[in-house]
């Protein structure tokens, strides 16, 4: 069986489909100012039937936060695709440059961010190479990453005041390939 090829037009249509837009957080829709998506017309394409390579192409244009917060929840086949791909999970940037992360930090919902980070670390299947976290990272999450990310090369922790020295030392010793460490406020 040959590999399906999708043009940029097909992928653009997919990324702007009402089905996908309804499931993505408001901040991901057309700059966050778009009107709510309308009901999907009966003649709309069934995005659940896209082959894995097309879904992977869509996910390559999104980051892990966007996949966890919306795109991976479009339908069951997209969820399975998100769980089965390793490439989106190699670089996990959960800094407040993402509106979702910023909103959860402001609302004090650090537990949800830690759960999201754990899910992404699990999906990386030991292939996580870059982790960037801001504010919500604590000793337990850092130890969790240490136990499941032996390939980590870059660790950036920004304003992570819930990490004690002992927890940091214990976790950092589990990153034998670490090349870059950035701790900032």
């Amino acid at each position: 069986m040959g590999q399906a090829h999708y043009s940029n037009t097909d992928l653009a249509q997919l990324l702007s489909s009402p089905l996908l837009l309804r499931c993505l957080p408001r901040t991901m829709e057309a700059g966050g100012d778009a009107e709510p998506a309308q009901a999907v017309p009966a003649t709309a394409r069934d995005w659940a039937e896209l082959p894995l390579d097309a879904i992977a192409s869509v996910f390559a244009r999104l980051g892990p936060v966007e996949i966890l917060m919306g795109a991976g929840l479009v339908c069951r086949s997209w969820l399975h695709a998100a769980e089965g791909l390793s490439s989106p999970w190699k670089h996990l940037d959960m800094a407040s440059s993402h509106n979702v992360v910023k909103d959860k930090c402001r609302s004090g919902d650090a537990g949800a961010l830690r759960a999201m980070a754990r899910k992404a670390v699990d999906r990386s299947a030991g292939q996580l190479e870059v982790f960037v976290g801001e504010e919500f990272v604590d000793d337990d999450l850092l130890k969790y990453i240490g136990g499941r990310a032996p390939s980590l090369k870059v660790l950036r922790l920004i304003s992570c005041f819930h990490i004690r020295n002992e927890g940091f030392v214990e976790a950092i010793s589990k990153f034998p390939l670490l090349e870059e460490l950035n701790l900032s406020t």
Side-chain angles (χ1 to χ4, degrees):
M1 181 190 314
Q3 194 173 26
H5 296 281
Y6 293 86
S7 69
N8 284 339
T9 304
D10 289 337
L11 293 173
Q13 182 183 4
L14 172 62
L15 288 170
S16 64
S17 80
L19 175 62
L20 180 61
L21 289 176
R22 265 196 325 229
C23 296
L24 295 177
R26 184 112 176 110
T27 56
M28 292 175 55
E29 300 173 17
D33 298 324
E35 292 298 315
Q38 302 301 316
V40 179
T43 59
R45 203 180 263 191
D46 185 359
W47 299 113
E49 295 184 13
L50 279 176
L52 183 59
D53 65 325
I55 297 170
S57 183
V58 170
F59 287 176
R61 290 171 165 77
L62 302 173
V65 172
E66 292 82 9
I67 294 170
L68 287 168
M69 292 298 296
L73 305 175
V74 168
C75 60
R76 186 167 277 129
S77 66
W78 283 43
L79 176 61
H80 292 304
E83 291 171 344
L85 297 171
S86 62
S87 59
W89 312 109
K90 288 184 177 186
H91 184 115
L92 181 55
D93 183 349
M94 294 188 70
S96 66
S97 58
H98 294 285
N99 288 335
V100 171
V101 174
K102 188 182 302 181
D103 291 345
K104 294 219 178 276
C105 282
R106 284 184 188 154
S107 69
D109 198 1
L113 292 170
R114 286 191 284 271
M116 189 185 315
R118 282 184 176 90
K119 180 63 75 177
V121 169
D122 290 344
R123 288 186 182 175
S124 75
Q127 300 302 308
L128 182 65
E129 295 178 357
V130 177
F131 179 81
V132 181
E134 187 168 352
E135 295 182 30
F136 67 92
V137 181
D138 63 7
D139 284 336
D140 290 336
L141 178 58
L142 196 57
K143 289 176 194 176
Y144 190 88
I145 295 168
R148 289 166 178 79
S151 299
L152 196 73
K153 295 178 182 177
V154 177
L155 177 62
R156 291 188 190 116
L157 301 172
I158 305 156
S159 300
C160 295
F161 301 113
H162 303 289
I163 299 174
R164 297 180 334 238
N165 289 342
E166 300 82 17
F168 178 77
V169 170
E170 181 182 339
I172 205 76
S173 67
K174 297 180 180 180
F175 304 126
L177 302 178
L178 193 64
E179 297 170 2
E180 180 183 330
L181 174 62
N182 184 319
L183 305 172
S184 61
T185 57

